[in-house]
Structure formats: C-alpha cells, structure tokens
Amino acid sequence: MHVAQCLDVINWFKNNGCFVIGGVPTNWLASTSDSKPGFISVYNDYDMISPWSVGRCSDSTGTDTFKKSYLIPDLAYCNANNILYQPVVFPGFSWSNWNGGAQNQIPRNKGEFLWRQVYNIQQSGVSNIYVAMFDEFDEGTAITKMADSYY
C-alpha cells in the first residue's frame, strides 16, 4: 500500500467518527528495519500508535534497553504530536508448541519478564498497554499460566 492510500483509509474512518489506532512496526519513528521509509505522515495521522514489539527483547536487560531506545523516544514524539501511545508487552515466546523449536526461547521467568516490561512502561509515564496475546499457545505468548517444562 502507498502512503496516499493509507491516508485515504485512515481519514475515511476518522471522517466517519472512528478513533483510529495504528498497529505500526517497532522502528516506525526511525523509518528503518521493519518500517517502510516515508510513512511518517501515515503514522502522524493515527489517533493512537501501538508499535509491535514482540520478540524485540528477551530478558530484563533487553527490556531496559528497549525502554531507552524505543519507549522514551516514541512517547516523546507522540506527546509532541498529539498522538496517544500504546506499547505492546508479551509474557515470553517459544516456537516449540508449533514447530519443534527451542523451548523457552524467550523465557517467562515466572512472570518477571512481563512484569519488567509493564514496570518500564509505567515508569515512562505511559498509562495503557496492549497485552500480546491471549490465544497464541502455539507461540508460547498466551497470557495464561503455562508450564515452563515438559516434565
């Protein structure tokens, strides 16, 4: 999709009374890596931005680095441009339930990994989050109690 097409869709919904939330790439602000260049006007047109961050960190140290590299600059940009900001958190990750990949690829650590993400978001001044996911048992991201081993 091109920028003009995206803006047309967003504005159609906004003109019809909708609040539009954009699920955007993690690197939306820099327009690098997982983000297409030249889409900042699209991102600026959303009422709220929710960057997808599942798998972007895998432990508390990475979560703290993510806060400094993404949460704080993203929030500052959104605040300066009157866009609401909704970061994504996830409890852990593993392909092993789906395709036999490594168990506990991103360990849950009995909830400590998820807690650290939520703590960092709260400390950054963000008042809401999107919790990924409620149903993805195949990826080990389901937000339910899960065993940490096959024993």
Side-chain angles (χ1 to χ4, degrees):
M1 216 176 221
H2 298 285
V3 170
Q5 292 171 311
C6 292
L7 291 171
D8 284 347
V9 171
I10 293 167
N11 287 313
W12 184 88
F13 280 104
K14 288 173 84 171
N15 291 335
N16 283 283
C18 296
F19 181 87
V20 182
I21 303 170
V24 300
T26 302
N27 294 284
W28 68 275
L29 187 54
S31 293
T32 60
S33 186
D34 59 350
S35 181
K36 288 183 175 183
F39 271 67
I40 197 70
S41 61
V42 173
Y43 305 146
N44 285 339
D45 215 28
Y46 288 121
D47 295 306
M48 177 184 276
I49 289 202
S50 185
W52 190 250
S53 57
V54 173
R56 301 307 191 264
C57 54
S58 59
D59 57 24
S60 291
T61 301
T63 300
D64 293 345
T65 300
F66 188 86
K67 174 186 175 184
K68 293 174 192 164
S69 301
Y70 293 96
L71 289 175
I72 292 171
D74 285 2
L75 179 60
Y77 182 89
C78 287
N79 286 343
N81 289 279
N82 200 30
I83 304 167
L84 296 176
Y85 181 60
Q86 184 178 56
V88 175
V89 297
F90 67 108
F93 175 82
S94 176
W95 284 122
S96 63
N97 293 331
W98 186 27
N99 66 12
Q103 294 179 24
N104 294 320
Q105 187 174 342
I106 299 177
R108 292 171 170 251
N109 290 327
K110 297 172 181 62
E112 291 178 29
F113 177 64
L114 178 63
W115 179 88
R116 187 66 187 189
Q117 293 170 78
V118 173
Y119 174 80
N120 282 345
I121 289 167
Q122 190 274 332
Q123 290 296 305
S124 298
V126 179
S127 61
N128 66 86
I129 58 174
Y130 178 91
V131 180
M133 295 300 285
F134 288 98
D135 61 347
E136 290 187 342
F137 288 93
D138 60 335
E139 295 180 2
T141 59
I143 189 71
T144 63
K145 293 181 180 180
M146 296 180 73
D148 61 0
S149 70
Y150 286 100
Y151 306 112

